[in-house]
Amino acid sequence: MSISFGSQDYMNYCQRAADLIAQQKDYITELDAVTGDGDHWANLNMGFQKLVENKEELSKLPLSEMFKKIGMLMMSGIGGSSGVLYGSGYISAAKAVGDQQNIDVKMLSTILMAMLEGICKRGNSGPGMKTMIDTLDAAAYELKAAVEEGVSDKEALTRMEKAAERGMESTKEMEAVRGRAYYQADKGVGHLDPGAVTMYYQLKVLSECMLEKC
Ligand code: ADP
Ligand code: MG
């Protein structure tokens, strides 16, 4: 039987992701202070707190409407590049889910691919540029492959989470091509990209939440 994961479950996930992000203030702020301007944690935390504030209302919406509203809240609630990028990602996801009301592993693969496409398009970016995309791209393609191979939901989600972690880690030695790290003399080499780390937090918590339903 496939996983049952609807709007309410997704908002519970958002709450848990918000909690994890809130706990990582010092680490993420420090990473962005080294490679960027130090506001990435404050930006993303603000966005997730907005989602938590609207949790009740968002939980009651059909999936597509919920994703659209999340995208709008992120766009308006987060300063900096990540607001626009996450906003675009969620709005693409809203279109991709259509009238479906359940996120099984196959639907999650569709959602992650749509988010990836939305963010890359908006950011004029792709993998290998030392951004949040490196985490998402690795996760989305691994999950797609796992779904195509027909492995169990448990294995697919575990593989997705591990790929996200590898994607995050791959940013350490990359030279930045996008984002503020590009303007640093060393192009951020030797440091993880903060956006790649916070993207990993989200995918890690999402995989945990869905694994609990397996
Ligand atoms: P800002 O860079 O405007 O201060 P944030 O600090 O909130 O915004 O977010 C920075 C993160 O956004 C980076 O660590 C990187 O992962 C991501 N990022 C920046 N520019 C792009 C882009 N063009 N495409 C994809 N991701 C990007
Ligand atoms: Mg910043």
Side-chain angles (χ1 to χ4, degrees), residues 32 35-41 43-44 78-83 85-86 119-120 122-126 129-133 178-181 192-198:
D32 196 37
T35 60
D37 57 353
D39 63 353
H40 180 63
W41 178 83
N43 288 338
L44 202 67
I78 308 183
S81 324
S82 38
L85 295 168
Y86 273 100
I119 296 176
C120 288
R122 191 69 185 80
N124 185 26
S125 45
M129 295 182 173
K130 199 181 182 81
T131 69
M132 57 170 86
I133 289 170
R178 288 285 180 274
R180 293 179 195 273
L192 289 171
D193 172 64
V197 177
T198 55

PDB file of all heavy atoms in Angstrom, residues 32 35-41 43-44 78-83 85-86 119-120 122-126 129-133 178-181 192-198, ligand 1:
ATOM      1  N   ASP A  32      26.623  31.577   6.262  1.00  0.00           N
ATOM      2  CA  ASP A  32      26.283  32.650   5.311  1.00  0.00           C
ATOM      3  C   ASP A  32      27.134  33.897   5.558  1.00  0.00           C
ATOM      4  O   ASP A  32      27.331  34.696   4.647  1.00  0.00           O
ATOM      5  CB  ASP A  32      24.789  32.998   5.367  1.00  0.00           C
ATOM      6  CG  ASP A  32      24.334  33.814   4.157  1.00  0.00           C
ATOM      7  OD1 ASP A  32      24.832  33.557   3.034  1.00  0.00           O
ATOM      8  OD2 ASP A  32      23.504  34.721   4.318  1.00  0.00           O
ATOM      9  N   THR A  35      30.324  33.003   3.422  1.00  0.00           N
ATOM     10  CA  THR A  35      30.222  32.965   1.958  1.00  0.00           C
ATOM     11  C   THR A  35      29.245  34.012   1.396  1.00  0.00           C
ATOM     12  O   THR A  35      29.243  34.267   0.205  1.00  0.00           O
ATOM     13  CB  THR A  35      29.754  31.565   1.471  1.00  0.00           C
ATOM     14  OG1 THR A  35      28.470  31.293   2.044  1.00  0.00           O
ATOM     15  CG2 THR A  35      30.724  30.474   1.905  1.00  0.00           C
ATOM     16  N   GLY A  36      28.423  34.601   2.246  1.00  0.00           N
ATOM     17  CA  GLY A  36      27.427  35.566   1.764  1.00  0.00           C
ATOM     18  C   GLY A  36      27.331  36.770   2.686  1.00  0.00           C
ATOM     19  O   GLY A  36      28.341  37.291   3.130  1.00  0.00           O
ATOM     20  N   ASP A  37      26.103  37.172   3.013  1.00  0.00           N
ATOM     21  CA  ASP A  37      25.929  38.373   3.841  1.00  0.00           C
ATOM     22  C   ASP A  37      25.338  38.073   5.218  1.00  0.00           C
ATOM     23  O   ASP A  37      24.971  38.996   5.948  1.00  0.00           O
ATOM     24  CB  ASP A  37      25.062  39.399   3.096  1.00  0.00           C
ATOM     25  CG  ASP A  37      23.705  38.816   2.710  1.00  0.00           C
ATOM     26  OD1 ASP A  37      23.506  37.599   2.910  1.00  0.00           O
ATOM     27  OD2 ASP A  37      22.867  39.570   2.203  1.00  0.00           O
ATOM     28  N   GLY A  38      25.246  36.798   5.563  1.00  0.00           N
ATOM     29  CA  GLY A  38      24.884  36.433   6.939  1.00  0.00           C
ATOM     30  C   GLY A  38      23.408  36.411   7.276  1.00  0.00           C
ATOM     31  O   GLY A  38      23.057  36.179   8.427  1.00  0.00           O
ATOM     32  N   ASP A  39      22.546  36.609   6.279  1.00  0.00           N
ATOM     33  CA  ASP A  39      21.118  36.701   6.611  1.00  0.00           C
ATOM     34  C   ASP A  39      20.300  35.461   6.229  1.00  0.00           C
ATOM     35  O   ASP A  39      19.091  35.441   6.414  1.00  0.00           O
ATOM     36  CB  ASP A  39      20.491  37.930   5.936  1.00  0.00           C
ATOM     37  CG  ASP A  39      20.546  37.830   4.416  1.00  0.00           C
ATOM     38  OD1 ASP A  39      21.185  36.890   3.898  1.00  0.00           O
ATOM     39  OD2 ASP A  39      19.963  38.699   3.747  1.00  0.00           O
ATOM     40  N   HIS A  40      20.955  34.430   5.704  1.00  0.00           N
ATOM     41  CA  HIS A  40      20.172  33.300   5.184  1.00  0.00           C
ATOM     42  C   HIS A  40      19.305  32.641   6.260  1.00  0.00           C
ATOM     43  O   HIS A  40      18.139  32.331   6.010  1.00  0.00           O
ATOM     44  CB  HIS A  40      21.057  32.257   4.500  1.00  0.00           C
ATOM     45  CG  HIS A  40      20.262  31.109   3.967  1.00  0.00           C
ATOM     46  ND1 HIS A  40      19.316  31.267   2.981  1.00  0.00           N
ATOM     47  CD2 HIS A  40      20.219  29.793   4.307  1.00  0.00           C
ATOM     48  CE1 HIS A  40      18.738  30.102   2.742  1.00  0.00           C
ATOM     49  NE2 HIS A  40      19.266  29.191   3.532  1.00  0.00           N
ATOM     50  N   TRP A  41      19.868  32.449   7.441  1.00  0.00           N
ATOM     51  CA  TRP A  41      19.063  31.827   8.504  1.00  0.00           C
ATOM     52  C   TRP A  41      17.860  32.716   8.836  1.00  0.00           C
ATOM     53  O   TRP A  41      16.729  32.230   8.915  1.00  0.00           O
ATOM     54  CB  TRP A  41      19.879  31.565   9.776  1.00  0.00           C
ATOM     55  CG  TRP A  41      18.988  30.978  10.835  1.00  0.00           C
ATOM     56  CD1 TRP A  41      18.632  29.674  10.982  1.00  0.00           C
ATOM     57  CD2 TRP A  41      18.259  31.715  11.838  1.00  0.00           C
ATOM     58  NE1 TRP A  41      17.746  29.530  12.015  1.00  0.00           N
ATOM     59  CE2 TRP A  41      17.497  30.769  12.569  1.00  0.00           C
ATOM     60  CE3 TRP A  41      18.189  33.059  12.201  1.00  0.00           C
ATOM     61  CZ2 TRP A  41      16.666  31.134  13.627  1.00  0.00           C
ATOM     62  CZ3 TRP A  41      17.363  33.427  13.247  1.00  0.00           C
ATOM     63  CH2 TRP A  41      16.612  32.460  13.954  1.00  0.00           C
ATOM     64  N   ASN A  43      16.363  34.882   7.065  1.00  0.00           N
ATOM     65  CA  ASN A  43      15.400  34.868   5.956  1.00  0.00           C
ATOM     66  C   ASN A  43      14.535  33.613   5.991  1.00  0.00           C
ATOM     67  O   ASN A  43      13.301  33.693   6.002  1.00  0.00           O
ATOM     68  CB  ASN A  43      16.145  34.904   4.615  1.00  0.00           C
ATOM     69  CG  ASN A  43      16.776  36.262   4.340  1.00  0.00           C
ATOM     70  OD1 ASN A  43      16.366  37.271   4.901  1.00  0.00           O
ATOM     71  ND2 ASN A  43      17.792  36.281   3.486  1.00  0.00           N
ATOM     72  N   LEU A  44      15.191  32.469   6.014  1.00  0.00           N
ATOM     73  CA  LEU A  44      14.441  31.218   5.922  1.00  0.00           C
ATOM     74  C   LEU A  44      13.616  30.966   7.184  1.00  0.00           C
ATOM     75  O   LEU A  44      12.488  30.482   7.122  1.00  0.00           O
ATOM     76  CB  LEU A  44      15.400  30.051   5.670  1.00  0.00           C
ATOM     77  CG  LEU A  44      14.711  28.850   5.056  1.00  0.00           C
ATOM     78  CD1 LEU A  44      14.228  29.150   3.637  1.00  0.00           C
ATOM     79  CD2 LEU A  44      15.628  27.642   5.033  1.00  0.00           C
ATOM     80  N   ILE A  78       9.945  36.144   3.039  1.00  0.00           N
ATOM     81  CA  ILE A  78      11.392  35.954   3.125  1.00  0.00           C
ATOM     82  C   ILE A  78      12.086  37.033   2.310  1.00  0.00           C
ATOM     83  O   ILE A  78      11.796  37.189   1.128  1.00  0.00           O
ATOM     84  CB  ILE A  78      11.832  34.567   2.571  1.00  0.00           C
ATOM     85  CG1 ILE A  78      11.038  33.430   3.206  1.00  0.00           C
ATOM     86  CG2 ILE A  78      13.329  34.366   2.727  1.00  0.00           C
ATOM     87  CD1 ILE A  78      11.476  32.033   2.765  1.00  0.00           C
ATOM     88  N   GLY A  79      13.006  37.722   2.936  1.00  0.00           N
ATOM     89  CA  GLY A  79      13.818  38.669   2.178  1.00  0.00           C
ATOM     90  C   GLY A  79      14.892  37.881   1.449  1.00  0.00           C
ATOM     91  O   GLY A  79      15.051  36.694   1.674  1.00  0.00           O
ATOM     92  N   GLY A  80      15.631  38.534   0.577  1.00  0.00           N
ATOM     93  CA  GLY A  80      16.769  37.870  -0.075  1.00  0.00           C
ATOM     94  C   GLY A  80      16.346  36.929  -1.180  1.00  0.00           C
ATOM     95  O   GLY A  80      15.163  36.703  -1.418  1.00  0.00           O
ATOM     96  N   SER A  81      17.345  36.365  -1.830  1.00  0.00           N
ATOM     97  CA  SER A  81      17.109  35.504  -2.993  1.00  0.00           C
ATOM     98  C   SER A  81      16.264  34.302  -2.630  1.00  0.00           C
ATOM     99  O   SER A  81      15.435  33.850  -3.422  1.00  0.00           O
ATOM    100  CB  SER A  81      18.419  34.953  -3.551  1.00  0.00           C
ATOM    101  OG  SER A  81      19.437  35.880  -3.448  1.00  0.00           O
ATOM    102  N   SER A  82      16.473  33.749  -1.443  1.00  0.00           N
ATOM    103  CA  SER A  82      15.805  32.482  -1.149  1.00  0.00           C
ATOM    104  C   SER A  82      14.283  32.610  -1.123  1.00  0.00           C
ATOM    105  O   SER A  82      13.601  31.639  -1.441  1.00  0.00           O
ATOM    106  CB  SER A  82      16.339  31.830   0.126  1.00  0.00           C
ATOM    107  OG  SER A  82      16.614  32.756   1.099  1.00  0.00           O
ATOM    108  N   GLY A  83      13.741  33.772  -0.794  1.00  0.00           N
ATOM    109  CA  GLY A  83      12.286  33.962  -0.795  1.00  0.00           C
ATOM    110  C   GLY A  83      11.710  33.759  -2.181  1.00  0.00           C
ATOM    111  O   GLY A  83      10.762  32.990  -2.371  1.00  0.00           O
ATOM    112  N   LEU A  85      13.155  32.328  -4.704  1.00  0.00           N
ATOM    113  CA  LEU A  85      13.476  30.992  -5.219  1.00  0.00           C
ATOM    114  C   LEU A  85      12.535  29.936  -4.631  1.00  0.00           C
ATOM    115  O   LEU A  85      11.969  29.133  -5.368  1.00  0.00           O
ATOM    116  CB  LEU A  85      14.945  30.657  -4.940  1.00  0.00           C
ATOM    117  CG  LEU A  85      15.932  31.562  -5.695  1.00  0.00           C
ATOM    118  CD1 LEU A  85      17.344  31.390  -5.159  1.00  0.00           C
ATOM    119  CD2 LEU A  85      15.904  31.303  -7.190  1.00  0.00           C
ATOM    120  N   TYR A  86      12.354  29.936  -3.315  1.00  0.00           N
ATOM    121  CA  TYR A  86      11.412  28.983  -2.709  1.00  0.00           C
ATOM    122  C   TYR A  86       9.989  29.254  -3.187  1.00  0.00           C
ATOM    123  O   TYR A  86       9.215  28.323  -3.425  1.00  0.00           O
ATOM    124  CB  TYR A  86      11.482  29.009  -1.172  1.00  0.00           C
ATOM    125  CG  TYR A  86      12.550  28.078  -0.640  1.00  0.00           C
ATOM    126  CD1 TYR A  86      13.787  28.558  -0.256  1.00  0.00           C
ATOM    127  CD2 TYR A  86      12.308  26.718  -0.556  1.00  0.00           C
ATOM    128  CE1 TYR A  86      14.775  27.695   0.212  1.00  0.00           C
ATOM    129  CE2 TYR A  86      13.278  25.846  -0.095  1.00  0.00           C
ATOM    130  CZ  TYR A  86      14.512  26.340   0.289  1.00  0.00           C
ATOM    131  OH  TYR A  86      15.471  25.479   0.741  1.00  0.00           O
ATOM    132  N   ILE A 119      12.899  26.491  -9.447  1.00  0.00           N
ATOM    133  CA  ILE A 119      14.007  27.239  -8.822  1.00  0.00           C
ATOM    134  C   ILE A 119      15.111  27.517  -9.844  1.00  0.00           C
ATOM    135  O   ILE A 119      15.625  28.632  -9.922  1.00  0.00           O
ATOM    136  CB  ILE A 119      14.554  26.491  -7.581  1.00  0.00           C
ATOM    137  CG1 ILE A 119      13.466  26.401  -6.494  1.00  0.00           C
ATOM    138  CG2 ILE A 119      15.804  27.180  -7.034  1.00  0.00           C
ATOM    139  CD1 ILE A 119      13.859  25.592  -5.262  1.00  0.00           C
ATOM    140  N   CYS A 120      15.440  26.497 -10.650  1.00  0.00           N
ATOM    141  CA  CYS A 120      16.504  26.682 -11.656  1.00  0.00           C
ATOM    142  C   CYS A 120      16.115  27.782 -12.655  1.00  0.00           C
ATOM    143  O   CYS A 120      16.943  28.612 -13.031  1.00  0.00           O
ATOM    144  CB  CYS A 120      16.768  25.390 -12.427  1.00  0.00           C
ATOM    145  SG  CYS A 120      17.608  24.146 -11.464  1.00  0.00           S
ATOM    146  N   ARG A 122      13.931  30.296 -12.220  1.00  0.00           N
ATOM    147  CA  ARG A 122      13.896  31.614 -11.578  1.00  0.00           C
ATOM    148  C   ARG A 122      15.295  32.118 -11.259  1.00  0.00           C
ATOM    149  O   ARG A 122      15.587  33.298 -11.353  1.00  0.00           O
ATOM    150  CB  ARG A 122      13.048  31.543 -10.294  1.00  0.00           C
ATOM    151  CG  ARG A 122      12.733  32.884  -9.696  1.00  0.00           C
ATOM    152  CD  ARG A 122      11.750  33.628 -10.620  1.00  0.00           C
ATOM    153  NE  ARG A 122      11.477  34.990 -10.167  1.00  0.00           N
ATOM    154  CZ  ARG A 122      12.288  36.026 -10.371  1.00  0.00           C
ATOM    155  NH1 ARG A 122      13.431  35.854 -11.007  1.00  0.00           N
ATOM    156  NH2 ARG A 122      11.964  37.234  -9.941  1.00  0.00           N
ATOM    157  N   GLY A 123      16.166  31.198 -10.853  1.00  0.00           N
ATOM    158  CA  GLY A 123      17.520  31.586 -10.443  1.00  0.00           C
ATOM    159  C   GLY A 123      18.511  31.578 -11.596  1.00  0.00           C
ATOM    160  O   GLY A 123      19.685  31.884 -11.402  1.00  0.00           O
ATOM    161  N   ASN A 124      18.035  31.227 -12.789  1.00  0.00           N
ATOM    162  CA  ASN A 124      18.920  31.087 -13.938  1.00  0.00           C
ATOM    163  C   ASN A 124      20.134  30.240 -13.537  1.00  0.00           C
ATOM    164  O   ASN A 124      21.279  30.619 -13.758  1.00  0.00           O
ATOM    165  CB  ASN A 124      19.342  32.477 -14.432  1.00  0.00           C
ATOM    166  CG  ASN A 124      20.159  32.411 -15.705  1.00  0.00           C
ATOM    167  OD1 ASN A 124      20.024  31.459 -16.480  1.00  0.00           O
ATOM    168  ND2 ASN A 124      21.037  33.388 -15.901  1.00  0.00           N
ATOM    169  N   SER A 125      19.839  29.122 -12.921  1.00  0.00           N
ATOM    170  CA  SER A 125      20.919  28.324 -12.356  1.00  0.00           C
ATOM    171  C   SER A 125      20.665  26.831 -12.539  1.00  0.00           C
ATOM    172  O   SER A 125      19.609  26.423 -13.012  1.00  0.00           O
ATOM    173  CB  SER A 125      21.064  28.660 -10.871  1.00  0.00           C
ATOM    174  OG  SER A 125      19.792  28.711 -10.253  1.00  0.00           O
ATOM    175  N   GLY A 126      21.650  26.051 -12.164  1.00  0.00           N
ATOM    176  CA  GLY A 126      21.550  24.600 -12.273  1.00  0.00           C
ATOM    177  C   GLY A 126      22.526  23.973 -11.300  1.00  0.00           C
ATOM    178  O   GLY A 126      23.191  24.690 -10.535  1.00  0.00           O
ATOM    179  N   MET A 129      26.667  24.883  -9.175  1.00  0.00           N
ATOM    180  CA  MET A 129      26.917  26.314  -8.991  1.00  0.00           C
ATOM    181  C   MET A 129      27.042  26.703  -7.513  1.00  0.00           C
ATOM    182  O   MET A 129      27.053  27.878  -7.183  1.00  0.00           O
ATOM    183  CB  MET A 129      25.800  27.119  -9.654  1.00  0.00           C
ATOM    184  CG  MET A 129      25.780  26.951 -11.162  1.00  0.00           C
ATOM    185  SD  MET A 129      24.491  27.972 -11.909  1.00  0.00           S
ATOM    186  CE  MET A 129      24.854  27.742 -13.645  1.00  0.00           C
ATOM    187  N   LYS A 130      27.071  25.709  -6.644  1.00  0.00           N
ATOM    188  CA  LYS A 130      27.205  25.925  -5.195  1.00  0.00           C
ATOM    189  C   LYS A 130      25.989  26.649  -4.616  1.00  0.00           C
ATOM    190  O   LYS A 130      26.092  27.743  -4.039  1.00  0.00           O
ATOM    191  CB  LYS A 130      28.486  26.739  -4.890  1.00  0.00           C
ATOM    192  CG  LYS A 130      28.967  26.647  -3.438  1.00  0.00           C
ATOM    193  CD  LYS A 130      30.219  27.504  -3.238  1.00  0.00           C
ATOM    194  CE  LYS A 130      30.760  27.409  -1.838  1.00  0.00           C
ATOM    195  NZ  LYS A 130      31.575  26.191  -1.631  1.00  0.00           N
ATOM    196  N   THR A 131      24.838  26.038  -4.795  1.00  0.00           N
ATOM    197  CA  THR A 131      23.609  26.624  -4.235  1.00  0.00           C
ATOM    198  C   THR A 131      22.732  25.507  -3.653  1.00  0.00           C
ATOM    199  O   THR A 131      23.074  24.327  -3.722  1.00  0.00           O
ATOM    200  CB  THR A 131      22.753  27.336  -5.309  1.00  0.00           C
ATOM    201  OG1 THR A 131      22.200  26.353  -6.189  1.00  0.00           O
ATOM    202  CG2 THR A 131      23.544  28.353  -6.107  1.00  0.00           C
ATOM    203  N   MET A 132      21.568  25.928  -3.160  1.00  0.00           N
ATOM    204  CA  MET A 132      20.541  24.999  -2.676  1.00  0.00           C
ATOM    205  C   MET A 132      20.171  23.946  -3.712  1.00  0.00           C
ATOM    206  O   MET A 132      19.720  22.858  -3.378  1.00  0.00           O
ATOM    207  CB  MET A 132      19.282  25.779  -2.286  1.00  0.00           C
ATOM    208  CG  MET A 132      18.709  26.625  -3.389  1.00  0.00           C
ATOM    209  SD  MET A 132      17.078  27.297  -3.008  1.00  0.00           S
ATOM    210  CE  MET A 132      17.459  28.788  -2.128  1.00  0.00           C
ATOM    211  N   ILE A 133      20.358  24.299  -4.993  1.00  0.00           N
ATOM    212  CA  ILE A 133      20.000  23.382  -6.077  1.00  0.00           C
ATOM    213  C   ILE A 133      20.810  22.092  -6.020  1.00  0.00           C
ATOM    214  O   ILE A 133      20.310  21.023  -6.375  1.00  0.00           O
ATOM    215  CB  ILE A 133      20.182  24.084  -7.446  1.00  0.00           C
ATOM    216  CG1 ILE A 133      19.098  25.135  -7.605  1.00  0.00           C
ATOM    217  CG2 ILE A 133      20.156  23.087  -8.602  1.00  0.00           C
ATOM    218  CD1 ILE A 133      19.313  26.050  -8.777  1.00  0.00           C
ATOM    219  N   ARG A 178      26.691  31.186  -8.696  1.00  0.00           N
ATOM    220  CA  ARG A 178      25.525  32.014  -8.402  1.00  0.00           C
ATOM    221  C   ARG A 178      25.565  32.387  -6.926  1.00  0.00           C
ATOM    222  O   ARG A 178      26.238  31.752  -6.129  1.00  0.00           O
ATOM    223  CB  ARG A 178      24.225  31.251  -8.671  1.00  0.00           C
ATOM    224  CG  ARG A 178      23.901  31.029 -10.122  1.00  0.00           C
ATOM    225  CD  ARG A 178      23.392  32.284 -10.802  1.00  0.00           C
ATOM    226  NE  ARG A 178      23.088  32.017 -12.210  1.00  0.00           N
ATOM    227  CZ  ARG A 178      23.992  32.082 -13.183  1.00  0.00           C
ATOM    228  NH1 ARG A 178      25.246  32.427 -12.912  1.00  0.00           N
ATOM    229  NH2 ARG A 178      23.638  31.819 -14.437  1.00  0.00           N
ATOM    230  N   GLY A 179      24.747  33.399  -6.584  1.00  0.00           N
ATOM    231  CA  GLY A 179      24.655  33.814  -5.184  1.00  0.00           C
ATOM    232  C   GLY A 179      25.847  34.684  -4.787  1.00  0.00           C
ATOM    233  O   GLY A 179      26.778  34.900  -5.571  1.00  0.00           O
ATOM    234  N   ARG A 180      25.809  35.156  -3.560  1.00  0.00           N
ATOM    235  CA  ARG A 180      26.811  36.120  -3.101  1.00  0.00           C
ATOM    236  C   ARG A 180      28.221  35.548  -2.989  1.00  0.00           C
ATOM    237  O   ARG A 180      29.206  36.280  -3.064  1.00  0.00           O
ATOM    238  CB  ARG A 180      26.397  36.696  -1.754  1.00  0.00           C
ATOM    239  CG  ARG A 180      25.152  37.546  -1.857  1.00  0.00           C
ATOM    240  CD  ARG A 180      24.740  38.093  -0.512  1.00  0.00           C
ATOM    241  NE  ARG A 180      23.369  38.588  -0.577  1.00  0.00           N
ATOM    242  CZ  ARG A 180      23.031  39.807  -0.957  1.00  0.00           C
ATOM    243  NH1 ARG A 180      23.956  40.684  -1.290  1.00  0.00           N
ATOM    244  NH2 ARG A 180      21.772  40.167  -1.003  1.00  0.00           N
ATOM    245  N   ALA A 181      28.324  34.233  -2.798  1.00  0.00           N
ATOM    246  CA  ALA A 181      29.649  33.615  -2.654  1.00  0.00           C
ATOM    247  C   ALA A 181      30.492  33.813  -3.916  1.00  0.00           C
ATOM    248  O   ALA A 181      31.727  33.804  -3.864  1.00  0.00           O
ATOM    249  CB  ALA A 181      29.504  32.132  -2.335  1.00  0.00           C
ATOM    250  N   LEU A 192      30.664  24.918   3.064  1.00  0.00           N
ATOM    251  CA  LEU A 192      29.363  24.478   2.555  1.00  0.00           C
ATOM    252  C   LEU A 192      28.518  25.699   2.214  1.00  0.00           C
ATOM    253  O   LEU A 192      28.624  26.737   2.881  1.00  0.00           O
ATOM    254  CB  LEU A 192      28.620  23.671   3.625  1.00  0.00           C
ATOM    255  CG  LEU A 192      29.147  22.284   3.966  1.00  0.00           C
ATOM    256  CD1 LEU A 192      28.404  21.745   5.189  1.00  0.00           C
ATOM    257  CD2 LEU A 192      28.989  21.333   2.793  1.00  0.00           C
ATOM    258  N   ASP A 193      27.677  25.570   1.212  1.00  0.00           N
ATOM    259  CA  ASP A 193      26.736  26.644   0.892  1.00  0.00           C
ATOM    260  C   ASP A 193      25.568  26.602   1.897  1.00  0.00           C
ATOM    261  O   ASP A 193      24.954  25.539   2.077  1.00  0.00           O
ATOM    262  CB  ASP A 193      26.201  26.462  -0.530  1.00  0.00           C
ATOM    263  CG  ASP A 193      25.084  27.448  -0.817  1.00  0.00           C
ATOM    264  OD1 ASP A 193      25.358  28.660  -0.808  1.00  0.00           O
ATOM    265  OD2 ASP A 193      23.931  27.010  -1.006  1.00  0.00           O
ATOM    266  N   PRO A 194      25.262  27.722   2.550  1.00  0.00           N
ATOM    267  CA  PRO A 194      24.192  27.700   3.568  1.00  0.00           C
ATOM    268  C   PRO A 194      22.834  27.278   3.009  1.00  0.00           C
ATOM    269  O   PRO A 194      22.084  26.554   3.668  1.00  0.00           O
ATOM    270  CB  PRO A 194      24.146  29.144   4.082  1.00  0.00           C
ATOM    271  CG  PRO A 194      24.861  29.963   3.055  1.00  0.00           C
ATOM    272  CD  PRO A 194      25.876  29.060   2.432  1.00  0.00           C
ATOM    273  N   GLY A 195      22.540  27.706   1.794  1.00  0.00           N
ATOM    274  CA  GLY A 195      21.259  27.340   1.180  1.00  0.00           C
ATOM    275  C   GLY A 195      21.174  25.848   0.898  1.00  0.00           C
ATOM    276  O   GLY A 195      20.094  25.250   0.970  1.00  0.00           O
ATOM    277  N   ALA A 196      22.309  25.237   0.582  1.00  0.00           N
ATOM    278  CA  ALA A 196      22.343  23.785   0.350  1.00  0.00           C
ATOM    279  C   ALA A 196      22.106  23.049   1.666  1.00  0.00           C
ATOM    280  O   ALA A 196      21.456  22.003   1.689  1.00  0.00           O
ATOM    281  CB  ALA A 196      23.683  23.378  -0.256  1.00  0.00           C
ATOM    282  N   VAL A 197      22.611  23.613   2.770  1.00  0.00           N
ATOM    283  CA  VAL A 197      22.431  22.982   4.085  1.00  0.00           C
ATOM    284  C   VAL A 197      20.963  23.072   4.524  1.00  0.00           C
ATOM    285  O   VAL A 197      20.380  22.078   4.955  1.00  0.00           O
ATOM    286  CB  VAL A 197      23.371  23.614   5.140  1.00  0.00           C
ATOM    287  CG1 VAL A 197      23.124  23.007   6.517  1.00  0.00           C
ATOM    288  CG2 VAL A 197      24.833  23.446   4.734  1.00  0.00           C
ATOM    289  N   THR A 198      20.354  24.242   4.371  1.00  0.00           N
ATOM    290  CA  THR A 198      18.950  24.367   4.823  1.00  0.00           C
ATOM    291  C   THR A 198      18.009  23.555   3.923  1.00  0.00           C
ATOM    292  O   THR A 198      16.998  23.046   4.395  1.00  0.00           O
ATOM    293  CB  THR A 198      18.494  25.838   4.903  1.00  0.00           C
ATOM    294  OG1 THR A 198      18.721  26.466   3.641  1.00  0.00           O
ATOM    295  CG2 THR A 198      19.250  26.584   5.987  1.00  0.00           C
TER     296      THR A 198
HETATM  297  P1  ADP B   1      20.762  36.487  -0.402  1.00  0.00           P
HETATM  298  O1  ADP B   1      21.805  35.755  -1.161  1.00  0.00           O
HETATM  299  O2  ADP B   1      19.962  37.399  -1.278  1.00  0.00           O
HETATM  300  O3  ADP B   1      21.284  37.142   0.831  1.00  0.00           O
HETATM  301  P2  ADP B   1      19.818  34.277   1.188  1.00  0.00           P
HETATM  302  O4  ADP B   1      20.985  34.569   2.063  1.00  0.00           O
HETATM  303  O5  ADP B   1      18.506  34.112   1.867  1.00  0.00           O
HETATM  304  O6  ADP B   1      19.692  35.364   0.059  1.00  0.00           O
HETATM  305  O7  ADP B   1      20.056  32.914   0.393  1.00  0.00           O
HETATM  306  C1  ADP B   1      21.310  32.562  -0.069  1.00  0.00           C
HETATM  307  C2  ADP B   1      21.233  31.173  -0.685  1.00  0.00           C
HETATM  308  O8  ADP B   1      20.396  31.205  -1.837  1.00  0.00           O
HETATM  309  C3  ADP B   1      22.575  30.688  -1.175  1.00  0.00           C
HETATM  310  O9  ADP B   1      23.263  30.041  -0.141  1.00  0.00           O
HETATM  311  C4  ADP B   1      22.203  29.768  -2.327  1.00  0.00           C
HETATM  312  O10 ADP B   1      22.007  28.434  -1.876  1.00  0.00           O
HETATM  313  C5  ADP B   1      20.878  30.290  -2.810  1.00  0.00           C
HETATM  314  N1  ADP B   1      20.977  31.007  -4.082  1.00  0.00           N
HETATM  315  C6  ADP B   1      21.405  32.269  -4.284  1.00  0.00           C
HETATM  316  N2  ADP B   1      21.298  32.608  -5.585  1.00  0.00           N
HETATM  317  C7  ADP B   1      20.783  31.532  -6.215  1.00  0.00           C
HETATM  318  C8  ADP B   1      20.426  31.225  -7.587  1.00  0.00           C
HETATM  319  N3  ADP B   1      20.568  32.114  -8.560  1.00  0.00           N
HETATM  320  N4  ADP B   1      19.925  29.997  -7.845  1.00  0.00           N
HETATM  321  C9  ADP B   1      19.756  29.088  -6.864  1.00  0.00           C
HETATM  322  N5  ADP B   1      20.070  29.313  -5.584  1.00  0.00           N
HETATM  323  C10 ADP B   1      20.579  30.507  -5.256  1.00  0.00           C
END
